[in-house]
Amino acid sequence: MPKITAARVIVTSPGRNFVTLKIETSDGVHGVGDATLNGRELAVASYLTDHVIPCLIGRDAHQIEDIWQYLYKGAYWRRGPVTMAAIAAVDMALWDIKAKIAGLPLYQLLGGACRTGVMVYGHANGATIEETLENAAVYASQGYKAIRLQSGVPGLNGVYGVSKDKFFYEPADSHLPTESLWSTEKYLRSAPGLFEAARDKLGWDLHLLHDVHHRLTPIEAGRLGKDLEPYRPFWMEDAVPAENQASFRIIRQHTTTPLAVGEIFNSIWDCKQLIEEQLIDYIRATVVHAGGITHLRKIASFADLHHVRTGCHGATDLSPICMAAALHFDLSIPNFGVQEYMRHTEATDAVFPHAYSFADGMLHPGEAIGLGVDIDEAQAAKHPYKRAYLPIARREDGSMHDW
Ligand code: KDG
Ligand code: MG
């Protein structure tokens, strides 16, 4: 059996912070896992180094499910983003090792390909509707079949999803949280116009998506969903903060716009009611933040029973290791919906050489064995950790709002 002989955490910041776990085995095979938790990176690094790694040494690297259960049940303190990102990193690295030993790309071990590639959506955005649609046209010309639209809101000084750089978007932008202004009224007045103009300019052959980023109440979300219905969006994402799963009943009662949620979920318990009651259409939980491939497969199987498809989170704060893991997973499950794809910078790609590639609106994980991604430690060492926070949002009266 391949014994785990060593494991260590590598923190690197090629433009943004990433936390990577590297596990080595007695067979000389190593595996990598992403453990990045945007704005709280060092908490996961410590959880792994100080608490998880000592328990891994000497274990059989092939016992992925048992190690998952050992780390989940054995901690006594369950769930939460720090714990589940740490477990996810171990899980990804062990799947990488198993597939390398088997001599197969990981998706083959997960049941083989269910599709020829993974449809991805890109992020078009701009300060104005016109600018957003110009940017969307660029994505369409590059072959994207699905595009997320986010536009500035008149009267607000910058909103979620609108970047200065049209090619890369990085919200964790400062050593202390920056503050932005929010007005639900102004946002609800402007968002439907974006989609009306988008259908006029881009036509009806593209899938158009939108992220509300947890900003509305259920009844406000019901109204927005209704207003967007004529333009047939692919989904309305994170319409409300989702701690209270029952609140999605209200949104559902008011609109047929498909609903997506779950990028901050850590386990199946965060979405059990949403799926069971068919209150959503797409579950966005992802490999690194929802306990790894092992746990995400359980969520996807449960979702499949309830007509819910996947739409894994794929922002830049998920490293290329997580992206590779997501692509193997996406390729192998029957109820895949779409995969988010925000391109990483060249510096990030140099730290994480990978086999996945984009063509014709789809990503494919490639045929390299394992996850098909690695960390170049010499490159990583060139980019030391830099503290960076996500912004916060305040309403016009100064009170805190969900960012
Ligand atoms: O770290 C936070 C980002 O990952 C998040 O704000 C991005 O909402 C997001 C998305 O849909 O990509
Ligand atoms: Mg989102």
Side-chain angles (χ1 to χ4, degrees):
M1 71 169 187
K3 264 195 183 175
I4 298 177
T5 51
R8 65 181 187 286
V9 173
I10 302 151
V11 181
T12 179
S13 191
R16 70 155 355 280
N17 293 315
F18 294 109
V19 179
T20 303
L21 175 69
K22 181 166 178 175
I23 295 182
E24 288 167 15
T25 66
S26 52
D27 284 22
V29 174
H30 75 268
V32 288
D34 181 21
T36 308
L37 185 61
N38 205 0
R40 296 294 186 270
E41 295 88 358
L42 298 186
V44 191
S46 160
Y47 191 99
L48 282 165
T49 303
D50 299 323
H51 305 292
V52 171
I53 289 174
C55 305
L56 293 178
I57 307 302
R59 286 183 187 280
D60 177 357
H62 274 328
Q63 290 191 291
I64 297 178
E65 180 70 40
D66 185 65
I67 290 175
W68 196 97
Q69 298 291 336
Y70 178 84
L71 294 175
Y72 183 81
K73 294 182 173 151
Y76 185 63
W77 311 105
R78 297 184 185 197
R79 301 162 61 190
V82 174
T83 301
M84 297 305 275
I87 294 177
V90 175
D91 188 77
M92 267 178 262
L94 295 181
W95 276 110
D96 190 21
I97 289 166
K98 193 185 276 297
K100 280 178 178 163
I101 291 174
L104 293 169
L106 176 61
Y107 73 85
Q108 294 291 10
L109 287 192
L110 301 178
C114 277
R115 53 190 53 77
T116 54
V118 168
M119 181 174 78
V120 295
Y121 68 90
H123 284 207
N125 65 86
T128 60
I129 290 178
E130 293 68 36
E131 222 180 281
T132 302
L133 297 185
E134 272 164 32
N135 194 219
V138 173
Y139 277 92
S141 72
Q142 290 169 347
Y144 281 83
K145 302 173 198 314
I147 303 171
R148 190 184 91 160
L149 302 177
Q150 307 290 137
S151 185
V153 173
L156 296 184
N157 65 343
V159 291
Y160 164 76
V162 179
S163 65
K164 291 174 205 97
D165 183 327
K166 292 288 155 293
F167 204 71
F168 300 109
Y169 178 49
E170 190 44 76
D173 56 1
S174 181
H175 69 296
L176 284 174
T178 53
E179 305 210 353
S180 58
L181 192 64
W182 179 251
S183 158
T184 295
E185 295 73 22
K186 291 186 169 113
Y187 167 69
L188 285 180
R189 273 204 302 274
S190 81
L194 169 63
F195 276 74
E196 185 182 6
R199 285 303 180 202
D200 272 355
K201 179 170 168 128
L202 303 169
W204 292 84
D205 290 339
L206 288 166
H207 297 304
L208 301 180
L209 297 77
H210 183 65
D211 190 351
V212 181
H213 220 259
H214 327 268
R215 303 280 169 104
L216 300 177
T217 64
I219 201 69
E220 289 163 352
R223 160 61 54 85
L224 178 60
K226 231 182 197 173
D227 287 350
L228 294 179
E229 274 171 27
Y231 315 112
R232 299 288 188 270
F234 185 88
W235 77 31
M236 176 168 76
E237 174 187 338
D238 284 345
V240 299
E243 289 95 327
N244 184 351
Q245 297 180 44
S247 57
F248 277 75
R249 287 189 193 134
I250 297 174
I251 313 177
R252 268 292 204 232
Q253 281 160 13
H254 292 283
T255 181
T256 56
T257 289
L259 303 176
V261 69
E263 66 185 37
I264 67 169
F265 291 174
N266 311 127
S267 89
I268 199 161
W269 302 104
D270 293 330
C271 47
K272 180 172 172 290
Q273 185 182 3
L274 289 172
I275 292 172
E276 224 161 32
E277 291 186 28
Q278 302 185 49
L279 300 176
I280 57 171
D281 303 279
Y282 296 92
I283 179 71
R284 281 182 43 72
T286 194
V287 181
V288 57
H289 298 135
I293 293 163
T294 297
H295 194 65
L296 197 58
R297 287 176 89 202
K298 286 183 187 160
I299 294 177
S301 298
F302 184 59
D304 192 26
L305 300 181
H306 297 87
H307 307 283
V308 175
R309 293 192 282 160
T310 64
C312 289
H313 188 204
T316 42
D317 46 299
L318 287 68
S319 91
I321 299 174
C322 180
M323 180 55 75
L327 294 175
H328 287 280
F329 165 81
D330 294 337
L331 204 63
S332 69
I333 58 164
N335 55 325
F336 165 76
V338 72
Q339 168 70 49
E340 183 179 18
Y341 176 45
M342 278 175 84
R343 296 160 294 209
H344 288 111
T345 60
E346 264 177 40
T348 298
D349 286 340
V351 172
F352 300 98
H354 53 77
Y356 60 79
S357 59
F358 174 88
D360 201 22
M362 320 266 260
L363 278 172
H364 193 285
E367 298 301 330
I369 60 170
L371 285 171
V373 61
D374 211 340
I375 181 160
D376 179 330
E377 294 193 56
Q379 284 288 337
K382 291 184 190 165
H383 307 286
Y385 169 77
K386 238 175 113 181
R387 196 177 72 216
Y389 288 95
L390 288 168
I392 61 115
R394 290 190 187 275
R395 301 181 195 104
E396 288 172 299
D397 69 357
S399 55
M400 284 284 290
H401 198 68
D402 301 271
W403 177 71

